[in-house]
Every structure is written in C-alpha cells, then in structure tokens.
Amino acid sequence: MSRARVRTNRFRLTAAVTVALAATAAGTLATPTASAASATPATAAASAAPAAVRDVAPFPAGGTLLSAGPTGFLAKAGTTATPYFWTGYDGTVTPLPGSRYYGAAGTDTIVRAEENGTYTLYDMGTGAEPVVITTPGTLAGVVGSTLVTTDGDGIHLVHRAGDEIVCRAVTGLPGPSRVETFGEGTFTAVTGGGALLSLVDVATASAVATVESDNSVLGFEAVAGSPTHLTWYDYTPADDGGHFHVLDRTTGTSRILPEGVGGRPPALSKDWLALLNTSRASGRPLLLHSLKDGRNLRVLDRADEVKVAADGTFLVRGNLARQDGIYRVSVGDDGAPRAELVADGGRLADLTVTRQAVPSVLDFDEEDDWATVVFGFNHSVSITFTLTHTATGRQRTFGYSTGSQPEYRFTLNSDGGWWDPADYSGAYTWTMTAKETENVGPGVERTGSLVLKRPFLPRDYDANGSPDVLVRDSAGGLAAYDTKELRHMLAGDELAPTTLGTGWNTYTLMAAPGDLGGSAADDVVGRDRDGVLWLHRGEGQTLLPRTKVGGGWQVYNKITAGSDLNGDGRGDLLATDTSGVLWFYAATGDADAPFKPRKKVGGGWGVYNLLTAPGNIAGATGGDLLARDTSGTLWMYLGKGDGTFTARRRVGGGWQQFSHLTAFGDKNGDGRRDLHAIGPSGSRSYHATGSVDRPFGTPETLHLRSDTTFKTVF
C-alpha cells in the first residue's frame, strides 16, 4: 500500500499526564508506551502532573474520533471532499483521499468505501498491501478485517481469504436485526422494535448472548460489547429513570451498575468499562468502571468520545486540566489511571463574561411590563441570578443552563409570571454566579444593584404589584400573603408571606379600610381591649407605628372595611354593635381624623356572625356588603352609593364551613374583587360575575386551611 506520511507542525508540550484517584484494588489495563508507563502518579484526585515531553500532532476543533488502534487513530473533521485523516502516535498525520471511511475497533485497519460496493482495507500500522473486496449489501462497519454488511436477507460477514471472498450469514439472532455498535471481535445488534439486544461473535458468525429490554418502547441506549461482556442502558418506568447493565458472558450473570454511573455510549475492554458521564454538575468526566472489582475511577475532566484502542486501552476525545485533545487512557500496575495526550486540541480559554446587560431601573407602571437581563459567556454554563431586596432581605433566585448557546437571558415580569409572586418595589442588589457545564474550571461572579419602581395598588401591602391577604396568627404576628401565590399554590406548598410586624394580638377587632390619609399605601385599623381604635398607616413593605383614632369602640362586636359606600373614592368602615345595629363610618381622607361621625344604617344585624365588604361586585351604585347568618346562609346587600343598602338577596347556603371571608384581587380582570372563603376543612376562591342574581361564579379550590395559625383574616 502506498500512502503519504505527512508530518505536521509539531509542538513541544507535556504529552503524558497521570491522575491518581484512590485506586487500591487489582485490575489493570496494559500501559502501551514508555512515556505513559513511566509517568509519576499525582497525589491528589483529578490533578495532573507533567511526566514526559514528546511531539504530538494537532487535533482540529470540531473533529470526530472514529476508531483507534495500536499505532494511531482515524478521525474526521470539516465538510470538505476529503475530511478523513489518520494520526499516528508518533505525531504524523496522513490525509485520506475519498469521502467515506470506517475504522475497526482496537486495530489499525481502516476501510475506504466506494459507491459501487467496492471496499479497500488498509493496515495503517504495517503499511501492508491494501485488500480490495467487492460485495453487495450495505456496509454497517468493520471488525478486524471483516466487513459487516446488511441486506434484506439479514446480516453478513465478508472477508478475503487469499483470492477468495468469503461471505457468512450471522446466525442465532432472534429475528431481523439492525447493527448497533462495534467492538474488538464483536458487534451488537438490536432485533425488531428494540426489545432484544444481541452480542455477535465475528469468529463464529453467531449471536452468543441475547438480553431483553426493560422497556421495549424506548429500547436500548448506550450499548457496547466485547468478547467477554455486554453492556447497555435501559429505561425502567417503575424507577422513573434507568440503569446501566453489564452481562458477564463467562458466568452468564448480569448486574446493574451503582447509581450515578451512567452516560452516553461507552467502550468495553477486557477488564474496564469506559463511560462518558453526562452529569453537567460534574463537568462530564470520563469514568472507568472495573469489571473485576467494581471500582470507579475518574480520569478526564471532560470526555466527548471514547473508543477501544488496543491491549485494553482507550482513546478519548476530551480535556484534562483545560488541555483539550485526544488522550490514550490506561490503568497502571499500581492501580492508578493514566491519561497520555496523543493529539493536541489546544488549551481551553478560561471562563469569561462576554456580554452583560442588567437594567439599573425597572419601571413597572403596567401589569404586563417586563425587563430583560442578559449575560453572555465564552463557554456553556449553569448560572444563578439572585436578587436581594435591600429593605427586607427577601431573595429571588433564577437558575438556568445555557446549553449549546452560551448566553443566558431571562425576563423580569411586573407580575412575576403566571404563578410566581412578583418582586417588591425598592432597591436591590444582584449577584450572578456561573460555572461551566462542559468543563472543569473556576467560575465567575458579577454583582450590581438596581431599583424596581411600581405604582400604588390597593391592598398591596408588600408593594409587589399584587394584592394581599392580611393574616394575624395566634402569636400576634401580622403577615401579607400574596393573592397570586394563594391562587396557584399546590397542596403541600410552603407559603412565604411578608411579615408586617408582631404584637398585633393586642387588638380584638381588625380591618383594612384602604388608604385613609393619602399616603399612596393602604392602612390597617385595630380596636384594642379598652375599646380604643388605632390607625397604622402603610408605607412600602411596612406599617407605621399606630396613631389613636378614638375611644368608645367597645360597643362593637364586628367591623369590616374597604368598600367605597358613598362614591367619594375612599374605603369606608362598617360596624355592628352588641344590640345588632349597623353603623356607617365614612372616610375623610385625613389621617389625623380618618372617619366622619357615624351614621345609623339599621337594626336587626345581630343575626349575622360574619361580615365582609367586597366593594362593588354586582353592578349597583355603591360598594356592597356580604353577611353570613347563624344558619350558614350568605346574603348580599347592594350599596346605594349613600352609605345605605337595598334589601338583602340570598347568595346561598353552606357557608358555615368557612371561618373567614375576605374580598380582594381580580383574577379575571373585570374590575371586581374576588371573594376568598377560608375554613379549617378547605378554602375556595370565587370571582365576581357582576350579576345581581348570581354574583359569584364557579369556585376554585384554594390549597389553604385555616387553623390556630389563622386567627384573623381580612
């Protein structure tokens, strides 16, 4: 055979590095070269130390490793008419004419395929005369000097014996099969829809082992075979995942590899299974699993392709200590894995930020406002972006993986997304941390600040653009629960309310009348045990210290607030006294004297044990009132717009199951508040319809239960 040996530009560099990974048990791969054998093992896990200096060939970016033999390897790069080349371990590169080549695992044999069914076999190690074989069928691959072809009659093995071309049909397969992967002296075949996997021995042209998939729908993945073992990855529905299996042909037994040992198509030698781990958290390392004693050795920081080389060694495209290229991997007699660089792919650049776009001010004037944050990198990364609210310390973290496109982009919505609570108004600091997903190396961090601005929204006590439920717990703590979070929470979810203060158990009655003093934040009133009514004005995410409204409020047993009953744009207050009379307190807009003198609405209200002012829910002139009687029937009073109401209308029965009724939020965007009914056995949300005859639509379940924690809800 005549072939040109082209010596490329060489580089003087470290060509053999070793890695010691706590290997103590027996089980070795042969060490093929003096440079690898004499390498000094490192003392720390996943560390690399220079051991020898020699000339190696370059390996092009984007190149693909196809096969490996004792003296070199077959690879492909680019899309030209002649993309194939052979690289010797002595540093020489031989371009290969033609557009299609195959390599035989563990040998120096390569096959050039022609369009007319002619195949030329070259021994790249010895330079022997090429062997030409013309045969029908489709070439699937090559094992040693034997072609594996397929046609309508099955799988055939074709080789030349002197002047004769010998064709053997593969026997022992359970049915029509397709060829999967190739190994030393073997190949694997899958039958039918993927339910059966067979290992075929080329010497005997027969299937010597067949296994069945745990899931015939998905079939087999990550298959590899050798003269002694068969391995495959199988999805197991019952485990909601899958496992790597290894069959020992000598004993006929199979076992499942430990959890965490997995990846993409592996390679098998006599004693070791080489796995390309797909865990991004670990940098996609190369793992060697001992078929003798079950040890797992981590060798390379990243591995993209692995092939059986010769004498039990592997050839791997990947990187170690950020040196990219082709590595020959072995395990020495001391049990330590070794990685020898045989083709140089260049040193990986350190991770850097190539683009940063974080707004300094977020103006969320409308419900659907949004802003985009962008970070770009020179490598694929996993990234976290954390916003910390300066005033409260509340954090929100976004996690993301950039995948093959190393740019991270996410949107901050004014409403926080369709179920997430939105972010608070005010000053923030942010922290971005990124770590490579494809390689091992130092991460990067960036920090900064921004300000989020929102307009005033009624009942938005935490200033996050969404109305809140106020809850006083049994310990006297007052907290704001985001209504969007309540609506979309699932059973078992943990809520994260905004704490507004402690010591609120000094009050026996509480209500949320709205903004009483023109401060662009809603307020809270509470009556203490002495009958004094106090006002807490709202400011951002807090409530200010109380100011006295007046005494004499001990005559009341129920108060409710928030409906605009007289049409002046301010929320008013209603109270029932112990004799059953309902009184109306109109808001003034002056925080120093927040209510006008009371006006009598009427008597007979002692039949009710629960009141709530939902605003205008049925389309009448003013704000409305809901009242539940002692039998559990809910009644609606339509506001006339002057602080009085029309005759009551029956809403329905069965409301005794709820301990709290409160109205806020507007899920369907019709301008009317929704009603939330909260009880110890379950809770519901009702949206207002605007209809007098049927004021509420079909309820939705709230995964919230009132217990001793929810002492007061308003």
Side-chain angles (χ1 to χ4, degrees):
M1 175 181 67
S2 175
R3 59 189 174 96
R5 296 181 60 81
V6 178
R7 183 171 296 277
T8 62
N9 292 330
R10 299 187 185 180
F11 304 89
R12 300 290 293 178
L13 49 82
T14 300
V17 293
T18 60
V19 181
L21 293 167
T24 58
T28 63
L29 285 88
T31 304
T33 64
S35 60
S38 61
T40 303
T43 59
S47 62
V53 177
R54 61 186 294 274
D55 293 333
V56 298
F59 190 77
T64 302
L65 179 63
L66 300 178
S67 69
T71 69
F73 61 88
L74 176 66
K76 178 183 178 181
T79 57
T80 65
T82 57
Y84 294 87
F85 58 96
W86 177 267
T87 301
Y89 300 136
D90 61 357
T92 61
V93 177
T94 304
L96 300 172
S99 59
R100 192 155 55 106
Y101 281 82
Y102 298 80
T107 75
D108 291 327
T109 300
I110 63 173
V111 178
R112 177 179 177 179
E114 305 293 343
E115 295 297 332
N116 58 4
T118 298
Y119 304 97
T120 305
L121 284 72
Y122 300 92
D123 187 334
M124 302 301 289
T126 65
E129 286 298 316
V131 175
V132 178
I133 297 175
T134 300
T135 183
T138 300
L139 182 64
V142 58
V143 178
S145 59
T146 300
L147 306 181
V148 180
T149 66
T150 61
D151 56 26
D153 295 328
I155 302 174
H156 299 84
L157 307 181
V158 183
H159 71 279
R160 179 178 284 278
D163 295 332
E164 182 182 2
I165 295 178
V166 179
C167 180
R168 297 173 294 157
V170 174
T171 62
L173 292 173
S177 305
R178 69 175 187 273
V179 178
E180 282 287 300
T181 59
F182 295 87
E184 288 188 279
T186 63
F187 65 88
T188 61
V190 172
T191 301
L196 299 173
L197 172 68
S198 298
L199 179 67
V200 177
D201 177 59
V202 171
T204 61
S206 63
V208 293
T210 297
V211 295
E212 186 174 0
S213 173
D214 293 335
N215 189 332
S216 60
V217 176
L218 297 179
F220 297 90
E221 297 179 6
V223 174
S226 75
T228 58
H229 291 84
L230 177 65
T231 184
W232 67 95
Y233 187 84
D234 209 343
Y235 178 77
T236 308
D239 297 338
D240 194 26
H243 301 282
F244 253 102
H245 301 249
V246 175
L247 171 68
D248 187 332
R249 282 193 56 211
T250 304
T251 63
T253 59
S254 65
R255 60 188 175 91
I256 294 176
L257 296 190
E259 190 72 24
V261 178
R264 292 167 295 150
L268 269 169
S269 73
K270 179 180 179 181
D271 298 325
W272 295 89
L273 171 64
L275 293 157
L276 304 182
N277 195 283
T278 57
S279 172
R280 292 188 179 274
S282 59
R284 293 173 52 184
L286 174 72
L287 298 177
L288 295 182
H289 176 77
S290 173
L291 298 173
K292 288 186 175 181
D293 57 32
R295 284 182 298 149
N296 293 316
L297 307 179
R298 175 171 169 150
V299 187
L300 300 182
D301 295 332
R302 192 200 76 210
D304 298 308
E305 298 162 348
V306 58
K307 305 294 180 183
V308 177
D311 300 326
T313 62
F314 299 104
L315 215 65
V316 186
R317 181 171 68 88
N319 70 59
L320 178 62
R322 304 195 71 78
Q323 173 62 53
D324 208 34
I326 305 295
Y327 287 86
R328 182 161 46 184
V329 172
S330 60
V331 177
D333 292 335
D334 59 357
R338 290 171 170 80
E340 177 190 7
L341 185 69
V342 297
D344 177 25
R347 179 171 176 78
L348 294 176
D350 290 336
L351 178 64
T352 59
V353 178
T354 60
R355 183 185 180 192
Q356 176 178 313
V358 183
S360 59
V361 178
L362 305 178
D363 281 313
F364 286 168
D365 296 330
E366 304 292 338
E367 184 177 354
D368 57 352
D369 279 348
W370 54 274
T372 301
V373 173
V374 181
F375 286 98
F377 305 90
N378 60 335
H379 297 295
S380 298
V381 300
S382 60
I383 182 175
T384 58
F385 184 81
T386 300
L387 285 168
T388 302
H389 189 240
T390 304
T392 64
R394 190 82 172 264
Q395 290 188 331
R396 189 175 183 197
T397 298
F398 303 82
Y400 192 76
S401 175
T402 59
S404 60
Q405 299 297 323
E407 184 174 275
Y408 169 71
R409 180 185 297 265
F410 78 92
T411 300
L412 283 172
N413 296 298
S414 60
D415 64 353
W418 73 274
W419 79 73
D420 290 330
D423 299 300
Y424 297 158
S425 294
Y428 283 84
T429 58
W430 59 260
T431 301
M432 182 281 296
T433 58
K435 182 179 180 182
E436 288 186 70
T437 55
E438 304 293 320
N439 309 292
V440 173
V444 296
E445 180 178 294
R446 293 284 180 89
T447 59
S449 61
L450 58 84
V451 175
L452 191 155
K453 298 180 179 179
R454 294 184 184 277
F456 167 70
L457 180 71
R459 290 199 63 102
D460 184 12
Y461 287 93
D462 56 11
N464 74 339
S466 178
D468 303 310
V469 183
L470 294 184
V471 175
R472 179 179 59 172
D473 62 30
S474 56
L478 185 65
Y481 286 76
D482 187 278
T483 55
K484 182 183 297 183
E485 188 177 11
L486 290 180
R487 285 199 303 264
H488 295 290
M489 69 178 293
L490 301 176
D493 283 355
E494 292 291 333
L495 292 172
T498 300
T499 299
L500 299 178
T502 58
W504 292 82
N505 50 8
T506 187
Y507 299 122
T508 54
L509 293 176
M510 299 182 70
D515 178 17
L516 294 178
S519 62
D522 277 2
D523 308 323
V524 171
V525 295
R527 186 199 68 183
D528 65 20
R529 293 178 178 85
D530 297 325
V532 177
L533 187 70
W534 299 88
L535 169 65
H536 291 263
R537 300 187 66 185
E539 184 177 79
Q541 292 87 21
T542 62
L543 291 168
L544 298 178
R546 67 184 186 176
T547 58
K548 186 176 180 180
V549 176
W553 289 74
Q554 67 272 13
V555 300
Y556 300 118
N557 56 17
K558 293 182 290 295
I559 63 172
T560 186
S563 280
D564 179 12
L565 302 176
N566 57 8
D568 63 0
R570 292 186 288 267
D572 304 312
L573 185 143
L574 293 166
T576 59
D577 62 25
T578 53
S579 65
V581 176
L582 179 67
W583 298 89
F584 165 52
Y585 285 85
T588 64
D590 180 2
D592 294 329
F595 298 110
K596 296 178 182 179
R598 69 180 186 175
K599 290 184 178 181
K600 183 177 180 180
V601 178
W605 292 79
V607 298
Y608 301 118
N609 56 21
L610 192 60
L611 299 178
T612 188
N616 189 338
I617 61 173
T621 307
D624 304 324
L625 180 64
L626 294 172
R628 184 190 66 186
D629 65 24
T630 54
S631 69
T633 301
L634 186 66
W635 300 88
M636 180 176 66
Y637 288 84
L638 298 178
K640 295 180 179 180
D642 60 359
T644 63
F645 303 95
T646 64
R648 69 179 186 177
R649 295 171 179 268
R650 188 177 188 273
V651 176
W655 292 79
Q656 68 272 16
Q657 63 183 299
F658 304 117
S659 51
H660 307 287
L661 294 178
T662 182
F664 47 83
D666 180 17
K667 180 181 179 182
N668 58 2
D670 62 359
R672 302 179 182 88
R673 295 181 190 174
D674 300 326
L675 179 67
H676 300 266
I678 302 170
S681 59
S683 303
R684 294 178 181 176
S685 175
Y686 299 80
H687 72 268
T689 64
S691 169
V692 174
D693 298 324
R694 188 173 179 268
F696 298 109
T698 303
E700 298 179 5
T701 299
L702 284 178
H703 292 287
L704 181 69
R705 295 178 183 272
S706 66
D707 50 20
T708 55
T709 301
F710 291 80
K711 185 175 181 180
T712 306
V713 180
F714 58 103

